[in-house]
Amino acid sequence: MISAELTGILAQRLDTAQTSRRDTPSLADGHELDIDDAYAVQAGLLALRQARGERIVGVKLGFTSKAKMAQMGVSDVIVGRLTDAMRIADGGEVDLSRFIHPKAEPEVAYRISRDVDLDDPSADIVSCVDAMAPAIEVIDSRYRDFRFTYTDVVADNTSASAFAIGPWRPVENVADRAVRLRTGGQEATGSTAAILGDPVNALHALLDMARRRRIPLEAGQVVLAGAATAALPLTAGITECEVAGVGSVTMKGC
Ligand code: OOG
Ligand code: MG
């Protein structure tokens, strides 16, 4: 376990990388962090953002696709936090100069309508969710060349950097829906089945992680369930994510 002082220093380092748009080497070069340390650094990072007036508006899951988990050699999903400063309106402009090397991911979002009681062993997270929507997540690792270890990416708030959510609609079963992401002439296609077999499983995985990491899940927050395809470099112009039968969402890189 690393000291509270070092936790603060590493959180500051990642925060400065984000605010100055200058990448930083892996924390693993020189420090031995375990997964608890990594979540402590993430909490420190969020505290710095909150001290600047940002509000937490949701949570995101990462590595919910088997391919991404296998690539990282881990068997657990990762959780990060979303703030109001990361939110982009559907169809809205996103200033690319605020990122280091942004990538877009096609996702499914859920909206939490009732606080989830993490201490109630029979809590049913699905009944605490009232809407779903197509979403685009912008990930922008603060690490050089997007290269990081498992603990690095957790400390870096799972690369969270921006997100846009399309029109909300009632929750339905979307276990195997076609997903398409388009940005700058590139296209990625896949299925919602890539998200833990069914995006609803991301909600169950989130509840498990939220209990273990004491991450509040509150009414009004959004949940990003994880990418359904590999990420594509985010470019100037329109980026669109379409989830069959759910709808589509766009953002405009400027
Ligand atoms: C980590 C974040 C992954 C997802 O949807 O799997 C993620 C990264 O690849 O930088 O957000
Ligand atoms: Mg994501």
Side-chain angles (χ1 to χ4, degrees):
M1 212 183 96
I2 61 172
S3 67
E5 190 192 353
L6 183 56
T7 302
I9 290 170
L10 296 179
Q12 186 64 65
R13 178 167 135 193
L14 287 166
D15 190 56
T16 301
Q18 186 249 318
T19 55
S20 66
R21 301 161 189 89
R22 291 164 72 120
D23 61 17
T24 188
S26 163
L27 304 184
D29 296 350
H31 303 289
E32 267 188 40
L33 275 74
D34 64 24
I35 189 65
D36 295 333
D37 296 328
Y39 275 101
V41 173
Q42 182 190 118
L45 190 59
L46 265 300
L48 292 170
R49 295 183 76 126
Q50 287 176 292
R52 288 197 293 274
E54 292 182 37
R55 276 188 317 110
I56 289 176
V57 297
V59 292
K60 59 157 285 188
L61 286 157
F63 301 157
T64 46
S65 92
K66 293 244 161 34
K68 262 192 125 149
M69 261 192 215
Q71 188 185 19
M72 294 304 297
V74 299
S75 55
D76 225 351
V77 301
I78 55 177
V79 182
R81 319 288 288 275
L82 303 171
T83 76
D84 57 345
M86 302 179 191
R87 196 162 41 197
I88 297 161
D90 184 7
E93 292 190 350
V94 53
D95 176 6
L96 298 180
S97 71
R98 59 186 255 211
F99 307 115
I100 302 169
H101 40 202
K103 296 183 191 181
E105 295 181 324
E107 305 226 0
V108 171
Y110 290 95
R111 184 174 68 194
I112 299 175
S113 53
R114 283 198 292 132
D115 291 359
V116 182
D117 182 355
L118 302 181
D119 297 313
D120 174 1
S122 64
D124 172 21
I125 187 165
V126 177
S127 71
C128 296
V129 155
D130 74 342
M132 68 191 313
I136 298 167
E137 183 184 14
V138 180
I139 52 172
D140 189 35
S141 175
R142 268 53 70 165
Y143 299 109
R144 196 150 300 160
D145 303 325
F146 241 99
R147 291 168 65 91
F148 44 72
T149 65
Y150 175 49
T151 50
D152 276 337
V153 67
V154 167
D156 185 26
N157 194 26
T158 68
S159 310
S161 130
F163 65 96
I165 294 182
W168 292 108
R169 49 179 291 121
V171 178
E172 59 178 302
N173 182 336
V174 293
D176 188 10
R177 300 288 180 90
V179 174
R180 188 172 59 187
L181 173 71
R182 275 186 292 196
T183 181
Q186 278 193 289
E187 185 173 279
T189 55
S191 163
T192 52
I195 305 166
L196 295 176
D198 178 337
V200 79
N201 292 329
L203 292 176
H204 298 299
L206 173 64
L207 176 57
D208 180 50
M209 286 295 284
R211 284 189 174 125
R212 280 150 61 194
R213 300 285 166 201
R214 302 313 296 176
I215 295 172
L217 301 176
E218 292 169 353
Q221 290 186 339
V222 301
V223 176
L224 293 183
T229 72
L232 293 177
L234 178 70
T235 54
I238 301 291
T239 294
E240 179 179 29
C241 163
E242 193 182 342
V243 181
V246 178
S248 64
V249 51
T250 65
M251 61 172 68
K252 187 171 179 222
C254 301

